[in-house]
Amino acid sequence: MGKPFVVEEFLATVKSVVERPVSSEQDIGTNTAADEAISIFPDIGQHLVADWPAADLFATVVHELRAPLTVMRGQTQLARRYIGQDPARERGAIDSALAQMDRMARLISELLNQSRLSSNALSLNVVACDLVDAVAAAMARHEYGETARMSFQRPLDTVTVRGDPKRIADILDNLFDNAVKYSPPDSPIEIALTVQGSEAHVRVEDHGVGVPAPERSMLFTPFYRTSRTADVPGTGLGLHISQQLAKRHGGRLWLDASSDAGSVFVLALPLRK
């Protein structure tokens, strides 16, 4: 008996993302009618599941969806048990379920962004924006403890770039989230914004697990995760999507340095002329 259509549709979507080659770098804001016409869901045949290739990334995606669903079910049952009896435990269970919903939403968003990037169907709303404010706002979103762990070496003047503020925020959020996620809780994260010629450079240095030398060339490959991050939830799409978004802005994103003492990532965006 075949799986329900919604499951086959999901499998087809992941398969289309994996098999579709990443398009070359495009001009900012490119979004043609031909791009919009590309089908996100390929034809679903009778043997889709039977001939599915055995790939670790497929197992990773399914696991990343199944894990939060399992937690959500358990926490929802717990909340129902304590309705009207223990408000604190009821609220805690609901908060846990909501956190897992956010995790699923991020995964779906990453898959959708990857699909759009691969088909060149992702448009940018380009305006002049201050990168100093963008970095400061992203830092505020990732300070969770009572004591701030992020420091910001910032220029005295504004640093104006042309780009899509939402997409630039997506890149910064990914870099800061990785720095927090893969570092000890009390370790510092140093962020610096400088102007280098015609570019603005955002440098993010953490003191986390680092990236093994043999694995660095694969770091920005879709779905790739290093051996040191396998036990932390994630899809391996964030850095790839961020690098592609940087390219769409005429910029760059790279791993500048890494060791057992941590990593340094640099985002370069062209200054507004």
Side-chain angles (χ1 to χ4, degrees):
M1 180 178 296
K3 292 181 172 60
F5 177 78
V6 66
V7 177
E8 294 194 347
E9 185 180 51
F10 168 70
L11 297 178
T13 304
V14 178
K15 187 176 182 181
S16 71
V17 170
V18 175
E19 293 184 344
R20 184 184 299 125
V22 177
S23 59
S24 59
E25 181 177 344
Q26 303 291 328
D27 294 335
I28 291 177
T30 299
N31 187 13
T32 65
D35 297 329
E36 294 289 355
I38 293 177
S39 175
I40 295 177
F41 302 115
D43 291 337
I44 300 172
Q46 293 286 337
H47 306 291
L48 173 65
V49 177
D51 64 7
W52 188 269
D56 289 342
L57 67 90
F58 175 67
T60 299
V61 172
V62 171
H63 171 75
E64 287 297 316
L65 285 173
R66 180 185 295 164
L69 278 173
T70 301
V71 175
M72 285 161 55
R73 178 179 177 82
Q75 293 298 326
T76 303
Q77 290 175 334
L78 184 64
R80 184 172 60 181
R81 184 184 310 164
Y82 288 104
I83 289 177
Q85 300 181 25
D86 190 334
R89 296 192 69 173
E90 177 188 345
R91 181 179 179 83
I94 293 173
D95 287 344
S96 295
L98 288 172
Q100 295 302 315
M101 292 178 193
D102 290 340
R103 177 179 167 187
M104 286 191 69
R106 285 194 298 270
L107 171 62
I108 293 169
S109 177
E110 286 181 347
L111 286 170
L112 182 59
N113 282 336
Q114 168 63 8
S115 178
R116 287 172 173 170
L117 282 166
S118 298
S119 62
N120 193 30
L122 188 145
S123 61
L124 300 178
N125 181 26
V126 179
V127 297
C129 55
D130 180 13
L131 198 54
V132 176
D133 288 345
V135 171
M139 289 174 58
R141 290 192 294 271
H142 291 82
E143 287 286 15
Y144 308 122
E146 295 182 0
T147 303
R149 58 186 296 194
M150 292 184 174
S151 62
F152 186 15
Q153 180 183 337
R154 56 192 294 172
L156 296 177
D157 298 324
T158 60
V159 177
T160 306
V161 298
R162 283 187 58 79
D164 186 325
K166 181 181 183 301
R167 297 304 180 181
I168 292 174
D170 288 342
I171 300 172
L172 295 172
D173 282 343
N174 179 254
L175 293 177
F176 295 172
D177 183 62
N178 284 348
V180 171
K181 189 162 57 175
Y182 300 125
S183 302
D186 297 327
S187 64
I189 297 170
E190 291 110 20
I191 300 162
L193 172 56
T194 58
V195 173
Q196 306 286 336
S198 62
E199 292 181 323
H201 285 198
V202 180
R203 187 176 186 271
V204 182
E205 180 176 3
D206 65 52
H207 298 270
V209 296
V211 182
E215 302 179 33
R216 291 170 194 168
S217 63
M218 298 288 292
L219 191 60
F220 293 91
T221 303
F223 300 100
Y224 183 78
R225 307 196 68 210
T226 75
S227 57
R228 295 179 183 175
T229 62
D231 59 341
V232 181
T235 61
L237 279 172
L239 282 175
H240 169 72
I241 290 172
S242 295
Q243 188 180 64
Q244 294 303 310
L245 287 175
K247 289 181 178 180
R248 294 293 174 94
H249 283 80
R252 300 173 290 150
L253 175 63
W254 69 93
L255 175 65
D256 195 57
S258 191
S259 68
D260 292 340
S263 300
V264 178
F265 288 85
V266 178
L267 167 65
L269 293 172
L271 297 170
R272 183 186 65 172
K273 297 181 180 179

